């Protein structure tokens, strides 16, 4: 099995934020929001942990508006989408600045709020703020991903829903390279010397295996069966807030 190798902190956070924003995550983001709506209730208050440029909160609010208007099929699960409010949190000021520009452009500064929060800080969020806590491809950035899950659980109201997706770490270098070939884009897309394929390679090496994330959630009182592979490179945790807070 490949060992987990955490990513080095970014040397130039602004450049890395710009490079991340330039990559096309449209399909992945739409898939995240589709799966979130299709598999359970959403909102009315949602927190996105590690929101980056806030493209998922924007897609979420656009999709909710289309459902409310009737131009997209309604979702059951008792979601109250007419008053959806999203809070995106990230520790990186450069990401938050990009997010603010995206929100302004989308006309969503009133519906999506941004906060600077370090997911390692147990006091980063207040208790019982939201019915839904989401996160996409963030946990592999953290040395101790359990801290972010604890914080997310703390911010959930009783009965609230945690929906977290991240990359998984393959068993072999060969599989890492296969995924980089399939999903890493082309070396020509490298901006300012940062190759998106190398970013994906590093992320896959820093990610958790399915067994590792299942062990972590079990220690938080969550049924490990709530974590499942949902693509050839992602696992998804979808569960209700556990009864006991650890
Ligand atoms: C790969 S990006 C994903 C962004 C967004 N979730 C998306 O899917 O577009 C990872 C994000 O996690 C944020 N992040 C990494 N470590 C963090 C921490 N300790 N606290 C808060 N955010 C963090 C980064 O700043 C970055 O915006």
């Amino acid at each position: 099995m490949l060992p987990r190798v955490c990513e080095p902190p970014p040397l130039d956070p602004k450049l890395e934020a710009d490079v991340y924003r330039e990559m096309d995550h449209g399909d992945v983001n739409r898939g995240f929001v589709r799966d979130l709506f299709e598999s359970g209730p959403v909102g009315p208050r949602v927190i996105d942990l590690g929101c980056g440029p806030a493209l998922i909160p924007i897609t979420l609010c656009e999709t909710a508006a289309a459902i409310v208007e009737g131009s997209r099929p309604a979702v059951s699960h008792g979601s109250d989408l007419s008053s959806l409010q999203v809070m995106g949190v990230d520790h990186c000021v450069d990401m938050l600045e990009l997010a603010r520009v995206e929100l302004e452009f989308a006309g969503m500064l009133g519906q999506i709020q941004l906060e600077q929060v370090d997911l390692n800080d147990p006091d980063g969020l207040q208790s019982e703020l939201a019915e839904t806590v989401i996160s996409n491809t963030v946990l592999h950035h953290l040395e101790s991903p359990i801290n972010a899950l604890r914080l997310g659980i703390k911010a959930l109201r009783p009965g609230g829903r945690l929906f977290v997706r991240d990359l998984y770490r393959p068993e072999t270098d060969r599989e890492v390279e296969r995924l980089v070939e399939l999903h890493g884009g082309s070396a020509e897309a490298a901006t300012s010397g940062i190759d998106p394929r190398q970013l994906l390679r590093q992320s896959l090496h820093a990610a958790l295996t399915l067994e590792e994330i299942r062990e972590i959630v079990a220690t938080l009182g969550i049924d490990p069966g709530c974590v499942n592979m949902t693509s050839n490179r992602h696992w998804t945790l979808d569960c209700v807030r556990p009864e006991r807070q650890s």
Side-chain angles (χ1 to χ4, degrees), residues 20 29 50-53 56 90-92 95 117-120 136-138 141-142:
Y20 183 78
N29 293 349
C51 63
I56 287 189
D90 205 287
H91 73 153
C92 174
M95 278 292 189
V117 172
D118 183 347
L119 299 176
N120 291 307
N136 183 53
T137 57
V138 173
H141 288 282
L142 308 173

Side-chain angles (χ1 to χ4, degrees), residues 7 10 17 20 25 28-29 32 48-57 89-93 95-96 115-121 134-143 148 151 165-167 203:
E7 291 174 320
Y20 183 78
H25 301 286
V28 170
N29 293 349
F32 182 96
D48 184 10
L49 305 177
C51 63
L55 300 180
I56 287 189
V89 305
D90 205 287
H91 73 153
C92 174
V93 283
M95 278 292 189
L96 289 169
E115 292 272 343
Q116 188 182 15
V117 172
D118 183 347
L119 299 176
N120 291 307
D121 176 3
I134 62 173
S135 181
N136 183 53
T137 57
V138 173
L139 261 56
H140 69 271
H141 288 282
L142 308 173
E143 255 183 67
L151 190 64
R165 178 167 289 175
D166 199 6
L167 295 165
S203 296

